[in-house]
């Protein structure tokens, strides 16, 4: 779950190797671990056995420490800035869109 939190929402694919290193398990046991986590509704996502990647779309919320809250605040700020930029771009194109 910590691996997912440290990644941007657009890149929540985690290799079996990364999961194995984080939880100190052999790579061969990662798939079973993820299947258990999915069945317990701790995470939502899919397992790509061919690519040996876990694609996580949701992680059960939990208590965050101050460092994690600060990181979340930073990411929300980045997201907000990206949304504002998109709004400005769309607003700039309104006259162009209305004329066509």
């Amino acid at each position: 779950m910590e691996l997912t939190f440290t990644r941007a929402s657009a890149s929540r694919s985690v290799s079996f190797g990364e999961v194995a290193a984080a939880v100190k398990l052999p790579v061969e046991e990662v798939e079973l671990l993820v299947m258990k986590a999915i069945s317990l509704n701790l995470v939502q996502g899919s397992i790509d056995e061919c690519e040996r990647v876990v694609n996580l779309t949701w992680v059960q919320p939990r208590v965050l420490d101050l460092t994690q809250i600060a990181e979340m605040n930073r990411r929300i700020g980045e997201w907000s800035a990206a949304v504002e930029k998109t709004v400005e771009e769309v607003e700039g194109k309104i006259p162009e869109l209305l004329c066509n």
Side-chain angles (χ1 to χ4, degrees):
M1 288 187 270
E2 190 68 31
L3 284 173
T4 304
F5 183 78
T6 59
R7 295 173 179 267
S9 60
S11 63
R12 295 266 167 94
S13 294
V14 185
S15 72
F16 280 22
E18 289 176 280
V19 174
V23 297
K24 297 176 177 65
L25 279 176
V27 175
E28 300 78 34
E29 295 182 26
V30 168
E31 185 177 7
L32 181 59
L33 175 72
V34 174
M35 287 175 15
K36 285 181 182 178
I38 291 172
S39 71
L40 293 171
N41 291 320
L42 297 175
V43 297
Q44 292 178 359
S46 61
I47 301 170
D48 185 335
E49 293 177 74
C50 296
E51 297 293 324
R52 299 184 62 79
V53 170
V54 178
N55 300 302
L56 298 173
T57 57
W58 178 84
V59 175
Q60 175 69 41
R62 59 187 184 85
V63 176
L64 304 174
D65 63 28
L66 291 177
T67 305
Q68 292 170 317
I69 291 171
E71 175 64 15
M72 189 177 292
N73 185 42
R74 183 189 66 76
R75 284 197 206 158
I76 290 171
E78 288 176 358
W79 173 80
S80 179
V83 169
E84 286 178 23
K85 181 179 176 186
T86 302
V87 167
E88 289 172 6
E89 289 176 9
V90 169
E91 286 175 343
K93 302 239 182 213
I94 288 176
E96 189 179 310
L97 294 170
L98 292 175
C99 293
N100 291 332

